[in-house]
Amino acid sequence: TDAQQAALDALSQTSTEPPTVLAEEGAVRFLTGSVVISDTIAISPQEKATYFLKQNSALFQLGDAGKNLRTEGTTTDDLGNTFVRYSQQYKGVPVYGSDIIVSVNGQDAIESVNGGYVPNLAIDVQPSVRSTKAEEIALADLGTGNGQVVAETSLVIYDPMVFGESSPEGPRLAWRVVATNGESGVLSF
């Protein structure tokens, strides 16, 4: 979009290396560059990564990154690079399978962002089916009389776009039911 191009142009001004971007249907799947975030702005690699995503919200089209991203963890490799992993949520509902990883090098520079998420997410998060009904439907779909739910059923937003697949229907609210039929292991619906 024009807003994303303007945001990329602004990012180019702050990056010591020309940024490269791979985008699909408005979602930034991969970005490289070198944007230093000083300690006066953010101290830890996690704070630097979050600051970067907030500052470039027009590029990533995530809305309020502070509200729409949840930190899942950080890891640091032997070279001092820290990888901060986020999952996407919308109005408190997790986006199933979403993942955004920001790489911060030992010199406090954002080097890359890998993403599987839904840009400009706007969806009604009020379910029209109760979780117990979703469990009944899932167990019926298993086709055996001895199926059982084996984990807590949870409300999620599902969109194949997270996995890089086209989605003519767009994002939709779903119940994630984990069940077993006693024969072929654990299945997730």
Side-chain angles (χ1 to χ4, degrees):
T1 67
D2 291 341
Q4 283 181 298
Q5 185 60 55
L8 183 58
D9 293 343
L11 178 62
S12 296
Q13 301 302 312
T14 62
S15 182
T16 58
E17 294 178 19
T20 59
V21 176
L22 171 63
E24 247 176 21
E25 297 183 39
V28 174
R29 297 293 180 207
F30 188 69
L31 176 139
T32 62
S34 183
V35 178
V36 175
I37 311 288
S38 76
D39 286 344
T40 59
I41 295 173
I43 302 288
S44 71
Q46 181 179 335
E47 291 170 336
K48 291 175 188 297
T50 300
Y51 176 82
F52 179 81
L53 292 171
K54 286 180 180 179
Q55 289 300 111
N56 293 284
S57 63
L59 176 61
F60 293 100
Q61 298 186 6
L62 284 165
D64 183 346
K67 288 182 181 178
N68 295 334
L69 293 177
R70 188 174 106 199
T71 305
E72 295 295 335
T74 61
T75 57
T76 303
D77 66 16
D78 294 339
L79 301 174
N81 300 307
T82 300
F83 303 90
V84 184
R85 191 166 132 308
Y86 301 90
S87 62
Q88 184 182 16
Q89 57 185 16
Y90 179 74
K91 295 185 179 182
V93 179
V95 177
Y96 181 75
S98 66
D99 201 22
I100 298 173
I101 301 171
V102 180
S103 170
V104 183
N105 70 18
Q107 291 73 44
D108 298 329
I110 306 298
E111 286 195 326
S112 67
V113 178
N114 293 305
Y117 66 96
V118 182
N120 298 318
L121 189 55
I123 186 172
D124 181 8
V125 294
Q126 194 65 20
S128 60
V129 174
R130 293 184 181 272
S131 62
T132 52
K133 181 66 175 171
E135 291 170 350
E136 288 175 21
I137 293 168
L139 292 174
D141 284 350
L142 285 174
T144 65
N146 61 349
Q148 68 184 86
V149 176
V150 294
E152 183 178 342
T153 298
S154 58
L155 191 62
V156 298
I157 297 169
Y158 176 76
D159 190 336
M161 182 179 182
V162 167
F163 307 103
E165 299 173 15
S166 65
S167 174
E169 298 164 8
R172 56 195 172 275
L173 200 60
W175 287 105
R176 182 170 184 260
V177 179
V178 181
T180 181
N181 62 5
E183 298 168 10
S184 59
V186 177
L187 308 169
S188 182
F189 296 88

